[in-house]
Amino acid sequence: MKPSIWVKRIAFIIVLLAIWQGVYMSGYFPAIQFPPPTKVFQALVEGFADGTLVGALLASFKHLLIGLALAITLGTLIGVLLGKSRQADETAGMYLIAMQSIPSIVWVPLAIMLIGLNETAVIFVVVLGGTFVMALNVRTAIHSVPPEFIKAARTMGAKGLPLFFKVEVPASLPYYMSGIRLAWAFSWRALMAGELLSNGPGLGYSLRFAMDFAQMELVIGIIIIVGVIGSVVDQLVFSKLEKKVMRRWGLLK
Amino acid sequence: MFLQMNEVAKRFADHEVFSGINVSIEKNQFVSILGPSGCGKSTLLSMVAGLEDVTEGTLRLGGEKILHPGTDRGMVFQQPALFPWLTVKDNVTFPLKADHSKREKEQIAANYLKMVHLTRFKDAYPHELSGGMQQRVAIARALAMDPKVLLMDEPFGALDEQTRHILHDELMKIFEETKKTILFVTHSIQEAIKLSDRVIVMGTRPGKIIADFPIDIARPRERDDTKVIEMEKKIMELLEDEIKKVMKEELDYETKHLG
Ligand SMILES: Nc1ncnc2c1ncn2[C@@H]1O[C@H](COP(=O)(O)OP(=O)(O)OP(=O)(O)O)[C@@H](O)[C@H]1O
Ligand SMILES: [Mg+2]
């Protein structure tokens, strides 16, 4: 990336912080409702120093990793079934789209009533948040394998499972990677929804805790952490992986 | 006969593509199939490859009935259809069975990549190659499994004029070196005459074989050779009648339904 782009981006943040500080100094909002940037920064430093935020982050990552791994596994199985079997697709494909359109926060009451106010319920919501979008993308991935690859492979004696694993799986990898990226994004949102209404620990729980104790600086601080993690993980891990695969597959120059 | 088509017919649902196809092809012959678009050339080739079912009649290769795809028939399509996740070398060794040792595979790949002059690119990925180079890899890949017959469906149709001429010469060399039997589908009369021992002309509606010429002209064949020009004219006239027939039918259909 060109350095000038970074200069613009950093300047933008500085301007934003300056406006924030300006509004604070105008005294329009009471200080308890509208802390200055410095106080938010201080709250974050303290949170990390005394370990509460570190613990919350670790708990959140644990929920996310377990939930996302399950979502990817389940989504892959459902997606392959729907992608390979016309019967299954005609029967259940429509419902999958319906399920995918349900916002994950809707699952939280169901999870709490079914499982209880515990971490398993949070993981359950994360799984539901990621599975359907993963399944839809895997189904698309399999449908979008170029038929000429399959024809060529068949003339070279490939069929059945070897044809599936040696041609269809690698051919669908670019879409599969998009599926994983989306599953991560959906799971991350679901995680926050689940934790916000949970009994902790977790970043979402810390957020509600901060609200309950009227610590606006911590509320803003945690929102910033959530945003930073969401975009950094997407940019550094999933987008990168997806682009790498696309480039190798010749889909991106 | 080596490759035998006996009263072969193909129907899709209620649409008959062709019927009564009888062709016998000898070993080490280069046979081209010419015909207007839609007459079923690709379909016939896919049937020989085993990719399409035979509706009626039988196809035999070396006396054995063709029922499925098999490594005794290699196919090259208009699109190279190389696997983008494999290097050039790994694409070429893709059809080789597991009972080849790693060294054998390397050797086979090296051998065929040399034949198509792409040794230098053995570790490249397909998207790093030009269209003509990709098609040469596809040819090497089809040859690597040492098929008895090489089926080629307009393999040079998507390439520019110069590249096509270079690949014609390469294919002729490969044909002489490997002594394969080649069944080659093309739109181009010049291409068919330049390359083949024999040209089969298909007509359409209903699809059938309307002519079958041996090309007894010494190779390499020059475009301005009088024998070549004569042959071109003969086939051109045959095809023009067919194309006129198709156009008239389409026009009649339009006037009837839109008129
Ligand atoms: N899977 C299919 N289902 C139904 N009809 C088909 C199918 N494949 C081919 N056809 C029909 O069979 C006919 C012959 O098609 P084919 O592709 O073999 O023609 P072709 O001679 O190769 O034409 P071209 O020169 O344009 O490549 C066409 O009318 C086409 O519409
Ligand atoms: Mg065709």
Side-chain angles (χ1 to χ4, degrees), chain B residues 16-213:
Chain B
E16 181 174 281
V17 184
F18 50 68
S19 61
I21 303 284
N22 291 294
V23 179
S24 295
I25 294 171
E26 281 166 58
K27 232 177 190 160
N28 194 21
Q29 254 199 344
F30 193 123
V31 180
S32 284
I33 302 178
L34 266 173
S37 185
C39 71
K41 305 179 295 291
S42 298
T43 305
L44 184 61
L45 213 63
S46 295
M47 286 159 82
V48 176
L51 295 171
E52 287 278 3
D53 294 332
V54 180
T55 312
E56 258 173 45
T58 46
L59 288 169
R60 282 174 198 281
L61 177 63
E64 259 186 70
K65 216 166 151 179
I66 293 174
L67 296 169
H68 307 288
T71 50
D72 52 351
R73 284 148 289 147
M75 186 142 176
V76 178
F77 304 86
Q78 183 168 5
Q79 297 308 321
L82 300 177
F83 303 132
W85 57 91
L86 297 177
T87 60
V88 164
K89 188 183 73 195
D90 292 342
N91 264 286
V92 174
T93 56
F94 182 90
L96 298 178
K97 298 222 175 60
D99 51 341
H100 285 90
S101 74
K102 200 168 171 237
R103 249 197 54 214
E104 272 178 321
K105 284 187 180 183
E106 296 260 335
Q107 204 127 52
I108 293 171
N111 182 18
Y112 288 105
L113 284 174
K114 193 173 151 218
M115 200 177 278
V116 296
H117 307 294
L118 284 176
T119 305
R120 206 153 60 82
F121 293 92
K122 66 182 197 313
D123 295 318
Y125 282 92
H127 71 93
E128 298 167 323
L129 307 184
S130 71
M133 286 151 94
Q134 289 184 18
Q135 201 56 292
R136 278 145 72 188
V137 177
I139 293 172
R141 179 175 70 173
L143 289 170
M145 57 189 187
D146 197 19
K148 295 179 186 159
V149 183
L150 190 57
L151 306 166
M152 307 183 91
D153 190 359
E154 299 189 41
F156 310 137
L159 304 177
D160 64 86
E161 188 79 21
Q162 281 93 330
T163 311
R164 199 178 308 147
H165 283 302
I166 293 169
L167 288 193
H168 285 160
D169 295 343
E170 273 191 19
L171 184 59
M172 279 294 99
K173 269 199 214 112
I174 290 170
F175 175 58
E176 274 153 32
E177 258 175 68
T178 59
K179 304 255 179 278
K180 296 283 174 211
T181 308
I182 298 181
L183 197 52
F184 188 98
V185 165
T186 175
H187 265 139
S188 156
I189 300 174
Q190 284 95 14
E191 191 173 56
I193 294 173
K194 182 173 170 191
L195 300 175
S196 328
D197 297 312
R198 176 176 166 197
V199 175
I200 293 171
V201 184
M202 284 179 76
T204 187
R205 298 167 207 238
K208 58 178 179 300
I209 292 174
I210 56 172
D212 190 339
F213 301 102

Side-chain angles (χ1 to χ4, degrees), chain A residues 209-230:
Chain A
F209 189 85
M211 178 189 85
D212 288 345
F213 286 84
Q215 294 174 294
M216 187 55 136
E217 60 280 358
L218 200 54
V219 168
I220 296 174
I222 292 175
I223 291 174
I224 291 174
I225 295 178
V226 171
V228 168
I229 291 176

Side-chain angles (χ1 to χ4, degrees), chain A residues 89-187:
Chain A
D89 196 25
E90 280 171 356
T91 313
M94 202 184 84
Y95 301 116
L96 186 66
I97 296 172
M99 295 298 272
Q100 204 264 125
S101 71
I102 298 176
S104 30
I105 196 162
V106 168
W107 297 113
V108 177
L110 182 137
I112 291 173
M113 287 173 76
L114 200 64
I115 301 169
L117 256 178
N118 54 37
E119 294 188 71
T120 314
V122 172
I123 293 172
F124 180 76
V125 174
V126 174
V127 172
L128 285 178
T131 299
F132 301 121
V133 68
M134 187 68 202
L136 276 177
N137 273 272
V138 172
R139 182 182 75 152
T140 312
I142 288 184
H143 283 165
S144 59
V145 173
E148 66 259 28
F149 285 178
I150 301 199
K151 271 203 220 166
R154 286 180 63 208
T155 65
M156 294 183 277
K159 58 180 180 226
L161 279 183
L163 176 66
F164 179 70
F165 283 109
K166 283 175 78 182
V167 178
E168 287 180 84
V169 168
S172 51
L173 205 59
Y175 283 94
Y176 190 81
M177 295 310 297
S178 314
I180 289 183
R181 187 165 67 90
L182 285 172
W184 138 261
F186 276 65
S187 293

